[in-house]
Amino acid sequence: MTDLSVKIGKIKFENPVLVASGTFGYGEEYAQLIDLNKLGGIITKSITLNPREGNPPPRTCETPSGMLNAIGLANVGVDSFIKEKLSFLRSLDTKIIVNVAGSTLEEYVKVVKRLNRVKGIHMLEINISCPNVKMGGLQFGASEESAHEIIKTITENTNYPVMAKLTPNVTDITRIALAVEEAGCQAISLINTLVGMAINSDTRKPFLSNITGGLSGPAIKPVALAMVWRVAQEVKVPVIGIGGIMDTKDALEFLLAGASMIQVGTANFVDSRASIKIIEGLKEYCENNGIKRIRELVGRVET
Ligand SMILES: Cc1cc2nc3c(=O)[nH]c(=O)nc-3n(C[C@H](O)[C@H](O)[C@H](O)COP(=O)(O)O)c2cc1C
């Protein structure tokens, strides 16, 4: 029997495969398509204090080996999330991670304080890396000082372990990673999307109403892998790898680079069973290669 479990702080995940924020709705949307209880965990869409409609369409577009999105953090807001979405998630036998975003430090704090009062949440992922909103998101994750301040304030105001989600749109991601580790987060997830743009040469207009968007999918995997590898060398907290993970081989590459867990994002749109196939594939890989515990693979790239 292969042990696929992973521990982050006191939380035990049955396997290292999570579904990435914004690509899996509030979980319920995929209930008819896959057995949600088989996932290591579900990460919700980013939740803000008030409901947000997001940016006007078009807000997604396909690009070579990837896609651009500029959703703009559309979500139901924390109160409706608690009232309407959480009871379904709570009924599942998997770990629930709520992704939190905001335009100001105060907004983040208000959201996490409201989440303190409810049951059924195991962990928070703090989005300090959204490239598609005018206020908030990326601006917090782009400097060591602001990333440190926001993560420190949140860890002081929440009952839950905190995972800080970093942006690749910075000069040196390891410095931001060290800052959020120092601020008290229990894990670091990376990467969010890379700022990109696509123009329709016939109409001379950008494809996205927001003009720029976040690039995701296979196109960003080498960038994500290098960043995971660099960050994993520097920090002691577990690193969660994200970026273009489409299949088991991709997931293995991230584990070898130093990720303790991985998140499946854009792949969910291509094949709703992608995450389940990766879990099965990892199990098979371990069995075929005599690996008893998947955590033995973490960081084992031979450089
Ligand atoms: C349509 C779409 C919506 C997203 N929404 C969010 C979001 O609300 N919050 C967040 O932290 N990341 C969001 N992301 C970023 C993903 O969680 C992930 O970090 C990124 O897409 C890279 O992984 P991938 O290449 O596997 O998709 C979104 C990505 C996509 C494609």
Side-chain angles (χ1 to χ4, degrees):
M1 282 294 283
T2 309
D3 180 5
L4 290 184
S5 72
V6 183
K7 259 183 128 181
I8 307 277
K10 291 186 182 133
I11 316 287
K12 187 181 175 204
F13 295 84
E14 287 307 316
N15 66 65
V17 180
L18 305 168
V19 282
S21 179
T23 66
F24 213 74
Y26 304 98
E28 207 163 356
E29 293 85 342
Y30 280 78
Q32 304 301 317
L33 302 169
I34 63 169
D35 181 355
L36 298 171
N37 295 327
K38 289 201 170 139
L39 296 170
I42 295 174
I43 307 185
T44 69
K45 259 212 79 56
S46 279
I47 307 292
T48 53
L49 185 61
N50 298 310
R52 288 177 61 103
E53 286 200 356
N55 294 321
R59 49 191 195 177
T60 59
C61 106
E62 205 169 323
T63 55
S65 297
M67 65 178 282
L68 287 170
N69 92 82
I71 305 292
L73 300 181
N75 79 99
V76 296
V78 68
D79 290 333
S80 299
F81 170 73
I82 293 169
K83 262 193 241 130
E84 293 157 23
K85 308 291 180 189
L86 192 57
S87 59
F88 171 78
L89 289 167
R90 198 187 284 136
S91 72
L92 299 173
D93 184 19
T94 184
K95 298 293 179 283
I96 304 303
I97 301 175
V98 178
N99 181 299
V100 175
S103 301
T104 60
L105 178 58
E106 291 69 37
E107 183 180 349
Y108 279 91
V109 171
K110 281 188 184 151
V111 175
V112 300
K113 280 191 169 170
R114 290 199 195 173
L115 295 172
N116 279 343
R117 296 187 227 131
V118 297
K119 285 208 174 74
I121 299 171
H122 299 94
M123 198 167 186
L124 302 182
E125 179 175 61
I126 309 300
N127 180 0
I128 51 169
S129 44
C130 181
N132 302 320
V133 286
K134 284 200 181 67
M135 285 292 295
L138 192 61
Q139 116 211 7
F140 294 111
S143 96
E144 286 158 71
E145 291 74 27
S146 57
H148 185 276
E149 185 190 17
I150 199 154
I151 297 300
K152 187 164 195 304
T153 310
I154 288 172
T155 53
E156 287 166 355
N157 282 282
T158 181
N159 305 332
Y160 305 110
V162 165
M163 184 193 304
K165 182 166 180 180
L166 305 190
T167 173
N169 302 296
V170 291
T171 315
D172 183 356
I173 199 165
T174 58
R175 295 169 76 113
I176 314 283
L178 287 166
V180 294
E181 177 179 54
E182 214 276 324
C185 67
Q186 276 83 358
I188 298 174
S189 52
L190 66 146
I191 58 175
N192 206 319
T193 52
L194 283 147
V195 174
M197 181 175 177
I199 298 174
N200 181 336
S201 56
D202 295 330
T203 62
R204 300 190 177 187
K205 289 186 186 308
F207 275 103
L208 297 174
S209 72
N210 191 53
I211 304 175
T212 61
L215 182 65
S216 64
I220 71 168
K221 193 186 81 172
V223 176
L225 199 60
M227 289 189 169
V228 164
W229 178 71
R230 286 183 58 218
V231 168
Q233 316 274 308
E234 297 287 336
V235 301
K236 291 181 195 71
V237 294
V239 171
I240 319 296
I242 328 165
I245 300 176
M246 309 303 280
D247 57 25
T248 304
K249 279 191 171 217
D250 293 336
L252 283 166
E253 288 180 39
F254 276 83
L255 297 178
L256 292 167
S260 297
M261 302 184 78
I262 57 107
Q263 297 184 17
V264 178
T266 300
N268 293 308
F269 301 139
V270 182
D271 176 1
S272 56
R273 288 186 48 76
S275 50
I276 300 292
K277 287 183 185 166
I278 292 173
I279 296 166
E280 287 164 356
L282 289 175
K283 194 160 176 274
E284 200 179 306
Y285 175 88
C286 289
E287 282 166 5
N288 292 346
N289 290 280
I291 296 160
K292 291 206 173 61
R293 285 170 290 270
I294 196 147
R295 46 189 182 274
E296 287 165 22
L297 282 176
V298 175
R300 289 301 169 88
V301 60
E302 292 173 15
T303 50

